[in-house]
Amino acid sequence: MNDAIITVQGLKKRYGSRVVLDGIDFAVQRGSIFALLGENGAGKTTTVRALTTLLRPDEGIARVGGFDCVREAANVRRIVSLTGQFAGVDELLTGRENLRMMGRLYRLDRRTANERADRLLERFDLVETADALAKTYSGGMRRKLDIAVSLLAEPQALFLDEPTTGLDPRSRLHLWEMISELARGGTTVFLTTQYLEEAERLADRIAVVHRGRIAAEGTAEQLKRLVGGGRIELSFRSEAEAAGGARLLNGRIEDRSVSVPVAQEGSSFEELRLALNLLHDFGLEPTGVEIRKPTLDDVFLGLTGDARKEAAG
Ligand SMILES: Nc1ncnc2c1ncn2[C@@H]1O[C@H](COP(=O)(O)OP(=O)(O)OP(=O)(O)O)[C@@H](O)[C@H]1O
Ligand SMILES: [Mg+2]
């Protein structure tokens, strides 16, 4: 990759005998949004902590902006910011005070700190509540304030660990817009999430972490291609007809519908035509037909489910 701001190679971390990261590799392009997707305990926060210099890996190399996250940690800290999984705002200060205080902690002079605080309040739609104590904020407002604090130092790379967990759909949408806007402004955004929709909506590239390894990485489209071309779903008048259809098409039956996997992307119309012809030859006419493209859920369940079966077997 020519302009990677983040590179990770062979990253390993264990706690006692528990291997948490088992050799992770990926690269993130400057100015892009990268999503690390994984279940609880997959190693997302651990990866973020290694990249933000809060944790020392046992093996492997993590670099941000060309700096080694262990040997040149101070340089890395100058260009990154982290909004953790659990909000870090001071509840006994107002939104504005939180921002101003953190600005001073980042060693901005008073005027710059105040200016940036005002700008961020505006940008995050917090002007009206800027002078209310943070403890009166809703979860969504707290989250926005937390991210605003992370932006005070104008980082090149912003790490967001599960930025929208626990937020209602409207707050989530709003935050997604903010995050997209940040990336459009040139900030690289590295986020972790358990929400497939979030990864798909926001990220230029997605890595699925499972059992401490990257199970797959690519654009949402590329990941979907991993699970093939999707499915054709046919419904029938009766369970008996559905059973006949399932036998003919080698499909999976559920009540009165039959689901047939499509082998290749783009071949679904052709396969549908063949399926309908075959059914017709045997006197079966479906009452409904749907072509379903693979979703990121199919990818995720496929990747993480298979690994689980492997482990069990
Ligand atoms: N300091 C620690 N000591 C021991 N085990 C730890 C420590 N930190 C993390 N772990 C373990 O490492 C594994 C990965 O944790 P991590 O926090 O990276 O997962 P995660 O993907 O962020 O999960 P979540 O979605 O729940 O936030 C978990 O099994 C966790 O229990
Ligand atoms: Mg986590």
Side-chain angles (χ1 to χ4, degrees):
M1 289 211 184
N2 36 27
D3 195 18
I5 182 170
I6 299 169
T7 53
V8 171
Q9 281 168 353
L11 207 64
K12 294 193 179 180
K13 179 72 191 175
R14 68 181 81 75
Y15 290 104
S17 63
R18 174 145 180 38
V19 179
V20 175
L21 299 183
D22 194 16
I24 282 198
D25 304 86
F26 59 79
V28 179
Q29 294 292 103
R30 193 177 284 276
S32 70
I33 302 182
F34 187 90
L36 194 61
L37 196 63
E39 298 172 306
N40 289 131
K44 301 182 297 294
T45 298
T46 305
T47 306
V48 165
R49 287 173 59 80
L51 284 166
T52 50
T53 79
L54 298 175
L55 172 148
R56 194 190 174 98
D58 299 323
E59 275 177 59
I61 300 171
R63 298 178 84 82
V64 181
F67 300 115
D68 187 292
C69 292
V70 175
R71 286 184 292 108
E72 300 165 294
N75 287 318
V76 172
R77 268 182 237 129
R78 254 189 288 273
I79 58 172
V80 305
S81 244
L82 165 67
T83 301
Q85 191 166 358
F86 305 102
V89 303
D90 188 332
E91 305 217 311
L92 299 176
L93 296 179
T94 68
R96 195 188 307 277
E97 286 165 350
N98 261 287
L99 281 161
R100 289 184 170 180
M101 183 195 70
M102 288 310 292
R104 298 307 304 273
L105 284 181
Y106 284 132
R107 303 217 182 88
L108 303 176
D109 62 69
R110 189 179 301 276
R111 207 173 122 215
T112 312
N114 292 355
E115 270 172 16
R116 283 194 195 168
D118 289 347
R119 216 176 331 127
L120 286 163
L121 286 167
E122 212 153 288
R123 185 159 173 193
F124 282 85
D125 211 6
L126 291 169
V127 175
E128 273 174 42
T129 46
D131 299 308
L133 293 184
K135 70 175 177 193
T136 66
Y137 283 20
S138 71
M141 287 158 67
R142 260 173 229 227
R143 205 22 88 99
K144 287 198 285 184
L145 180 60
D146 211 8
I147 296 175
V149 166
S150 296
L151 291 172
L152 277 165
E154 304 191 333
Q156 290 180 31
L158 176 66
F159 290 83
L160 300 171
D161 197 2
E162 302 202 17
T164 67
T165 296
L167 299 192
D168 65 40
R170 186 194 298 273
S171 307
R172 178 168 296 155
L173 267 176
H174 191 148
L175 209 50
W176 286 349
E177 278 164 27
M178 314 253 98
I179 294 169
S180 302
E181 199 184 300
L182 277 174
R184 280 197 296 275
T187 307
T188 305
V189 179
F190 184 106
L191 65 94
T192 75
T193 184
Q194 303 184 36
Y195 301 116
L196 299 143
E197 193 196 351
E198 180 159 291
E200 181 154 22
R201 281 283 290 268
L202 282 179
D204 298 299
R205 293 186 80 82
I206 299 166
V208 179
V209 60
H210 184 63
R211 296 179 174 277
R213 290 180 183 234
I214 302 294
E217 197 262 348
T219 63
E221 288 310 312
Q222 287 170 337
L223 292 182
K224 286 181 200 170
R225 252 174 255 147
L226 289 177
V227 290
R231 289 170 288 137
I232 295 170
E233 288 194 352
L234 304 142
S235 22
F236 293 88
R237 251 172 299 265
S238 67
E239 277 181 37
E241 283 195 12
R247 254 194 316 278
L248 281 173
L249 303 172
N250 209 3
R252 196 163 43 84
I253 185 166
E254 206 182 306
D255 297 330
R256 282 179 292 167
S257 343
V258 173
S259 167
V260 185
V262 178
Q264 267 171 35
E265 194 196 13
S267 65
S268 28
F269 286 113
E270 177 63 12
E271 294 204 20
L272 177 59
R273 196 164 55 79
L274 292 172
L276 291 177
N277 285 346
L278 184 63
L279 292 171
H280 183 78
D281 289 346
F282 284 83
L284 290 169
E285 306 293 343
T287 54
V289 168
E290 231 175 308
I291 293 179
R292 286 198 191 278
K293 291 189 167 175
T295 64
L296 213 47
D297 288 77
D298 296 331
V299 179
F300 191 70
L301 292 174
L303 288 170
T304 57
D306 282 355
R308 209 174 280 143
K309 260 178 258 150
E310 258 168 47

